[in-house]
Amino acid sequence: MSVNIGDIVGGRYTIEKALAEGGMGAVYVARDSKFEKRVALKIAFGPPKQFEARFKREAIIGDLLGRNPGFVRALDWGTDDGQLFMVMDLVEGGKDLDLSSGPLDER
């Protein structure tokens, strides 16, 4: 799935800007038209069958852990135009998590 600014994913998430890219996919800032809020939208590279079980597991864990302070919630997941996507809380001003260095309290 090629994603561009202004594209709508999952029938309700409008892409606003690219946020980050990794080995398995890319993350975008999007607007959820249903709840009128900004969210993080992760889109997997590759066919759904390759990542579907992992996305489902990540979404379920994100839902459970997200009920506690300090964890990002998974809000939705599915497929659109043959690509998997996951919607999560957007942490404004967040930075990448580095578990191998830095002060322990930040990790």
Side-chain angles (χ1 to χ4, degrees):
M1 170 185 244
S2 176
V3 178
N4 298 301
I5 304 303
D7 285 354
I8 298 174
V9 177
R12 68 188 246 207
Y13 306 106
T14 304
I15 302 293
E16 292 185 349
K17 70 177 183 175
L19 195 59
E21 189 170 310
M24 290 185 55
V27 179
Y28 301 88
V29 174
R31 173 144 312 270
D32 180 350
S33 64
K34 189 173 188 177
F35 288 101
E36 297 294 325
K37 68 178 184 175
R38 296 174 84 205
V39 295
L41 176 68
K42 180 178 181 179
I43 298 178
F45 298 145
K49 293 294 180 203
Q50 184 178 354
F51 299 115
E52 189 168 8
R54 180 179 175 154
F55 256 57
K56 181 178 180 180
R57 184 174 55 248
E58 186 177 337
I60 290 169
I61 290 169
D63 174 59
L64 293 171
L65 290 177
R67 298 174 191 180
N68 300 295
F71 289 94
V72 173
R73 292 178 301 163
L75 305 170
D76 191 12
W77 76 280
T79 59
D80 187 355
D81 195 26
Q83 288 300 128
L84 282 165
F85 69 89
M86 183 182 311
V87 181
M88 299 164 284
D89 286 321
L90 176 64
V91 179
E92 299 282 356
K95 59 183 179 178
D96 291 342
L97 179 63
D98 180 358
L99 297 176
S100 63
S101 65
L104 184 59
D105 61 332
E106 288 183 14
R107 287 186 267 160

